Amino acid sequence: MTQVVHTRAELAEARAALKGTVGVVMTMGALHAGHEQLLRAARERADNVLVTIFVNPLQFGPNEDFDRYPRTLDTDLEVCRRAGADLVFAPSVVDMYPNGQPQVRLDPGPLGAELEGASRPGFFHGVLTVVLKLLQLTRPDLTFFGEKDYQQLTLVRRMTRDLDVPVEVVGVPTVREPDGLALSSRNRYLSEPERAAALSLSAALRAGARAADDGQDAGAVLTAAHAAFGAGTPGAQLDYLVLTDSELEPGPVSGPARLVIAAWVGSTRLIDNAAVHLAPRR
């Protein structure tokens, strides 16, 4: 039985009744198979699974899609029930921010101004602020984030480490469509031609990963990825395509690395990433 609560008082009472470990999965709703994977991972690791569903206004810029972001609570609750969630917290904006938008927000540090932060100023201030608030309200032992939003995952890990937040942050691999497109709530915005164009993101990542597997150096990996993106179906406009280390710092000469991409497909902005291992042939 999945219990659904909407207010802080209801959450506090329901949370106090949970016995054993608690894993929290934070979402903005519009749940899909990627979220179900997060819920399954939480179900495997924790005695209780708590899901939050909240479209956070702090992480949307003035020209972004806050108003049209899909809100499908009834369907989302069915997903939660099917996955065996014990408790769902679905607050209103007033419940989350009873005193209005907070004047104090978390500074994500230098990484927060790069990649997604460079294209969406203030985005990670909003993300980390709501994540910390939800961690304080839900008091979990573990929290689960998808690797598709790899910069978010990295910053949440840094935040909990730097601020001594007593929670284990668990990364869950990206879930993809059979054709390679990373699952995203924003995919529903795509027309059929745009969806075909969106495949250029995963094509670029696969090409870069193949080059790394073939023993190519970092420059050749990036070249291969850019070539694959450019060779794809017209209609995708690249924002960035970079190779970094596994912590999103400047890319290594060898060892674990991350290939990270963002692009506009029509009016929809999509992101993706892949782990690669650099072992250039001498």
Side-chain angles (χ1 to χ4, degrees), residues 57-199:
L58 299 191
Q59 64 194 72
F60 288 81
N63 298 314
E64 294 186 336
D65 58 345
F66 176 73
D67 289 332
R68 73 171 183 138
Y69 193 87
R71 292 161 171 83
T72 57
L73 182 58
D74 289 343
T75 304
D76 295 340
L77 293 177
E78 286 303 315
V79 173
C80 292
R81 292 184 182 105
R82 187 167 62 241
D86 299 283
L87 179 60
V88 175
F89 178 46
S92 67
V93 173
V94 173
D95 281 303
M96 279 303 300
Y97 303 116
N99 301 310
Q101 292 202 0
Q103 297 183 44
V104 176
R105 305 187 188 190
L106 263 70
D107 184 341
L111 179 58
E114 300 172 7
L115 302 173
E116 287 300 285
S119 296
R120 306 176 67 186
F123 172 67
F124 286 114
H125 293 75
V127 170
L128 294 186
T129 298
V130 78
V131 167
L132 184 57
K133 284 173 69 71
L134 287 168
L135 289 174
Q136 299 277 36
L137 290 169
T138 60
R139 295 177 290 109
D141 301 282
L142 308 101
T143 184
F144 297 79
F145 286 85
E147 290 186 357
K148 185 186 78 68
D149 299 291
Y150 192 77
Q151 190 173 6
Q152 172 180 270
L153 169 62
T154 300
L155 284 169
V156 170
R157 281 176 168 155
R158 289 188 183 184
M159 176 191 73
T160 58
R161 178 195 66 204
D162 291 352
L163 300 184
D164 297 312
V165 181
V167 65
E168 179 183 349
V169 180
V170 181
V172 179
T174 301
V175 177
R176 299 182 179 277
E177 300 279 8
D179 59 10
L181 182 66
L183 288 180
S184 168
S185 299
R186 290 186 168 92
N187 289 351
R188 67 187 67 197
Y189 298 159
L190 301 172
S191 66
E192 188 173 340
E194 288 171 344
R195 197 190 178 291
L199 296 178

Side-chain angles (χ1 to χ4, degrees), residues 19 28 31 56 67 71 103 114 117 145 190 194 202 222 229 250 259-260 274 280:
K19 306 302 181 185
M28 292 207 302
L31 303 187
N56 177 34
D67 289 332
R71 292 161 171 83
Q103 297 183 44
E114 300 172 7
F145 286 85
L190 301 172
E194 288 171 344
S202 54
L222 267 179
F229 182 90
L259 196 56
V260 187

Side-chain angles (χ1 to χ4, degrees), residues 40-59:
R40 285 193 292 270
R43 184 80 278 164
E44 290 174 0
R45 292 284 309 275
D47 298 317
N48 304 277
V49 176
L50 194 166
V51 182
T52 68
I53 300 176
F54 178 64
V55 183
N56 177 34
L58 299 191
Q59 64 194 72

Side-chain angles (χ1 to χ4, degrees), residues 18-35:
L18 298 178
K19 306 302 181 185
T21 57
V22 174
V24 68
V25 176
M26 300 181 192
T27 83
M28 292 207 302
L31 303 187
H32 50 64
H35 296 104

